[in-house]
Amino acid sequence: MRTDLADYHVHTSRCGHAEGTMEEYVEQALALGLAEIGFSDHLHLYWIPQEERDPGLAMAEEELPRYVESVLRLRERYPQIPIRLGLEADYIPGKEETLRRILTPYPWDYVYGSIHFIGEWGFDDPRYMERYNRWDVDELYRHYFGLVKDAAATGLFDIMGHLDVVKKFGHRPAGDATELYREVASALKAAGVAIEVSTAGLRKPVGEIYPAPALLAECARQGIPAGLGSDSHRPAEVGIHFDRALEALRAAGYRETVRFEARRRRPVPLPFL
Ligand code: ZN
Ligand code: FE
Ligand code: FE
Ligand code: ZN
């Protein structure tokens, strides 16, 4: 199967909750005929004191230079496929300058901005699921997407990861989310960031691609570039369900997808499958 697509959301065992060697991820991309693969492992939890960081959530701080070197070395070993250097970084309000300093020394192709924390609550972590009960879901959505908009506006990120991950466990807004989605898309447009169409949601309780069809259609309408990611945490997940991601993109009105190199964007027409 040749898909002509790039998978930009791939983790490595450095993050403490993914498995397989980096070579195995690349081999899987080659076997699928992907056009590119990009690693985007979890940056260390830079806003938490080192001794209090959960080692099962992200790479250790001292691993960052080695992570970058590993990706660069893989490029030499596999010249037949572009291997992009990406990162998945958390957005934490007030910690923008810390993150900027961490990112500056490295030759990123792209940096994902992801929201996994509301305050200290790791809301996408099944261990802390009972905290959803404390929220009105519509209020939670407004709060979550407020963070997404703020993250985009920092200019620190190239692409927003799993755009509506707040739905991961099946929490859906009670009312019509059209206005909220319109505001989110306008903010992303103004910030000049791209979004990720992530197949990870298909493997979670919600059973739906991130973002939801209505949100993706609004992003398409406002001309926001979209990239593709599997959020692989094991080699077999590379490029998984990309046929469905393509369908979602087309249904939303997209004609192209976005590629990154050295933090510059390049549009690529969607392939016919
Ligand atoms: Zn992860
Ligand atoms: Fe994430
Ligand atoms: Fe991820
Ligand atoms: Zn992720």
Side-chain angles (χ1 to χ4, degrees):
M1 180 182 77
R2 185 178 167 78
T3 67
D4 287 315
L5 296 168
D7 188 345
Y8 279 159
H9 200 148
V10 172
H11 290 277
T12 81
S13 56
R14 281 197 166 81
C15 72
H17 60 272
E19 55 190 64
T21 64
M22 294 174 83
E23 285 79 4
E24 287 175 308
Y25 286 92
V26 176
E27 299 280 355
Q28 181 69 2
L30 288 170
L32 292 172
L34 290 184
E36 298 183 6
I37 182 171
F39 286 91
S40 56
D41 211 359
H42 296 282
L43 178 64
H44 60 271
L45 310 179
Y46 59 90
W47 66 99
I48 297 174
Q50 204 156 349
E51 61 282 3
E52 292 168 29
R53 293 175 194 158
D54 182 341
L57 289 184
M59 72 176 84
E61 185 163 352
E62 65 272 18
E63 284 295 319
L64 183 59
R66 286 196 277 273
Y67 163 69
V68 171
E69 280 161 32
S70 310
V71 175
L72 301 184
R73 234 179 299 120
L74 277 177
R75 285 180 182 162
E76 283 160 36
R77 176 146 176 212
Y78 296 98
Q80 61 273 52
I81 182 170
I83 298 174
R84 302 300 179 198
L85 174 63
L87 187 70
E88 181 171 17
D90 283 276
Y91 167 65
I92 302 295
K95 300 296 180 186
E96 295 83 354
E97 286 317 306
T98 307
L99 179 55
R100 196 181 307 278
R101 277 197 303 275
I102 294 168
L103 297 177
T104 298
Y106 302 104
W108 309 112
D109 288 308
Y110 56 88
V111 174
Y112 268 107
S114 291
I115 314 292
H116 302 111
F117 291 90
I118 293 175
E120 294 186 350
W121 178 33
F123 64 89
D124 78 328
D125 189 328
R127 291 175 295 176
Y128 312 124
M129 244 188 77
E130 94 297 335
R131 289 247 329 231
Y132 279 91
N133 302 328
R134 300 192 203 168
W135 285 84
D136 168 78
V137 176
D138 291 336
E139 184 59 31
L140 176 63
Y141 267 62
R142 276 192 296 277
H143 195 88
Y144 167 81
F145 281 111
L147 289 169
V148 170
K149 291 194 270 188
D150 292 347
T154 64
L156 287 164
F157 309 113
D158 303 287
I159 176 166
M160 305 310 295
H162 41 63
L163 192 59
D164 60 353
V165 69
V166 66
K167 74 183 176 188
K168 175 173 177 175
F169 300 111
H171 300 85
R172 300 284 199 166
D176 181 13
T178 308
E179 188 52 40
L180 174 65
Y181 290 166
R182 197 174 294 144
E183 287 168 18
V184 171
S186 301
L188 299 178
K189 179 71 184 176
V193 295
I195 58 159
E196 173 190 49
V197 172
S198 166
T199 59
L202 293 169
R203 314 194 297 277
K204 305 299 186 223
V206 69
E208 181 182 270
I209 282 174
Y210 306 120
L215 178 52
L216 187 59
E218 190 54 41
C219 289
R221 207 178 61 78
Q222 299 204 34
I224 298 165
L228 277 172
S230 63
D231 214 342
S232 292
H233 285 74
R234 53 184 69 196
E237 289 172 347
V238 172
I240 197 166
H241 299 138
F242 272 19
D243 50 339
R244 296 185 56 186
L246 256 187
E247 278 169 31
L249 280 161
R250 288 189 184 290
Y254 277 96
R255 297 277 166 76
E256 55 191 40
T257 182
V258 71
R259 300 276 171 80
F260 289 96
E261 185 173 0
R263 308 197 81 167
R264 280 199 304 275
R265 298 200 294 235
R266 179 168 63 90
V268 175
L270 288 178
F272 292 97
L273 280 188

